[in-house]
Amino acid sequence: MLVTGASRGIGRAVATAFAEGGDRVAIHHRGSAPLAEQLRDALPGEGHIVVQADVADPDAVRAMVDGAAERLGGLDVLVNNAGVYTPHPVLETSYEQWQQQWRRTLDTNLIGAANAIWCAARHMRERGGRIVNVSSRGAFRGEPGQVAYGASKAGLNSLTQSMAVALAPYGIAVAAVAPGYVETDMTNEHLKSERGADIRAQSPFNRVARADEIAAAVHWLASPAAEWASGTIIDLNGASYLRT
Ligand code: NAD
C-alpha cells in the first residue's frame, strides 16, 4: 500500500495502522526523508519503503506511484492524504497571493490526488484495489479563512464519487473520510491558541480527534470487507457537524 504525506500526522498514523495489519507500506514524503526513514524502520513487519515526490508535480507523482508499485511488487491500496491548509482570508489577501493560494491548494489537494489515482488505477485494473482519499469536514461546513482548501476537499469528494463508479468494474473501490479537527502539526497552532477551547467545544465530546481514529477508518475502507462502501464519504468529526 502507498500513503502520501506519511512522514507525520494522519499519514503517519495510516502507515502505522496498515503495517500493524500486516501490509507492506510505501511511505511517501516531499522533503522529510529522515522522518520517513525513521518511520520505515520503526514500523512492525518487513519490506516497507520510502518514496519521495512533490504531489503538485505530475511527473513526480507518476514516478513515485510507478516506483512504489515496482518496489512493492504491485499496488493494492492508495491513500491520498498529503494536503495543505493555509490561511487566505478574502479581504486581507492580495490578488496575487489569492492566485498563488488557489493554485497551490488545488494542485496539491485535488489534482495531486487525481494524478495519483490515474497512475494507481493502471496498477490495480487487473487485480482490483482500494483508494481512500482524506477529505475534510470543511468541504461541507465551509472554510471562510481557507476558501481554496474547502473547495479542494469538495472537489476531492466529487472525484471520489466519480472514480468509485468508473473503477468499480475493475474491482477497485474508492471512498473518502472527512475528518473534523484532528490533533496534528497542521492544527497544533490553532489548538494551542486562545481558540483551542472553542475548537474542542465544537464537538459534544469536547475534544478533537486523534490521528489513529482517522487511520482506523481508512484501514477499514481499504479492507476487502468494505467494497460495498465504495463511493461513500465517512464523517469523522465527533458529531461536531451533522450534514443531511
Ligand atoms: P500535516 O501537515 O501533518 O500532514 C500533511 C502532509 O502532506 C505533510 O507530511 C506534508 O509534507 C504533505 N504535503 C503537503 N504538501 C505536499 C506536496 N506538495 N507534496 C507532497 N507532500 C505534501 O497534516 P495532517 O493533519 O496530518 O493532514 C493530513 C490530511 O488530513 C490532509 O489532507 C488534511 O487536509 C486532512 N485533514 C486534516 C485535518 C486536521 O484537523 N488535522 C482535518 C481534516 C482533514
Side-chain angles (χ1 to χ4, degrees):
M1 71 84 57
L2 164 64
V3 50
T4 65
S7 62
R8 65 181 208 185
I10 295 170
R12 189 181 178 92
V14 168
T16 304
F18 279 82
E20 285 171 349
D23 282 282
R24 290 173 61 210
V25 180
I27 300 159
H28 158 265
H29 72 97
R30 177 181 40 179
S32 328
L35 269 181
E37 285 161 10
Q38 225 176 58
L39 176 63
R40 176 197 61 199
D41 297 341
L43 287 180
E46 303 276 308
H48 310 299
I49 62 171
V50 169
V51 294
Q52 189 277 335
D54 177 348
V55 299
D57 174 347
D59 293 334
V61 168
R62 196 173 194 173
M64 185 261 294
V65 175
D66 290 350
E70 194 182 323
R71 289 168 64 195
L72 291 175
L75 188 63
D76 51 3
V77 176
L78 164 70
V79 178
N80 280 309
N81 166 77
V84 285
Y85 179 73
T86 44
H88 45 280
V90 60
L91 295 179
E92 291 143 48
T93 302
S94 75
Y95 196 48
E96 192 187 29
Q97 287 167 335
W98 183 254
Q99 306 305 316
Q100 286 168 0
Q101 291 288 347
W102 272 90
R103 289 252 167 269
R104 177 163 171 263
T105 305
L106 291 185
D107 282 350
T108 306
N109 297 7
L110 178 58
I111 301 174
N115 289 340
I117 290 172
W118 189 96
C119 299
R122 280 157 177 76
H123 295 284
M124 296 176 179
R125 66 183 301 167
E126 304 298 339
R127 53 188 234 183
R130 295 283 182 271
I131 297 170
V132 184
N133 297 318
V134 181
S135 180
S136 171
R137 178 186 68 173
F140 305 108
R141 186 174 178 258
E143 289 284 352
Q146 288 88 3
V147 187
Y149 178 85
S152 74
K153 295 299 190 180
L156 189 60
N157 290 342
S158 173
L159 173 70
T160 301
Q161 293 171 323
S162 298
M163 286 295 175
V165 177
L167 295 175
Y170 303 92
I172 304 169
V174 187
V177 292
Y181 263 97
V182 186
E183 203 173 341
T184 68
D185 293 335
M186 191 182 260
T187 52
N188 257 342
E189 237 174 79
H190 300 256
L191 292 169
K192 280 190 199 137
S193 73
E194 280 172 19
R195 287 181 53 224
D198 288 343
I199 293 171
R200 278 182 281 278
Q202 287 174 3
S203 164
F205 291 102
N206 200 30
R207 67 172 180 90
V208 299
R210 297 184 315 270
D212 65 280
E213 293 175 295
I214 312 307
V218 171
H219 189 249
W220 178 75
L221 282 172
S223 69
E227 181 170 279
W228 226 236
S230 193
T232 202
I233 300 157
I234 296 187
D235 292 308
L236 299 172
N237 65 39
S240 64
Y241 185 74
L242 305 177
R243 64 186 166 101
T244 48

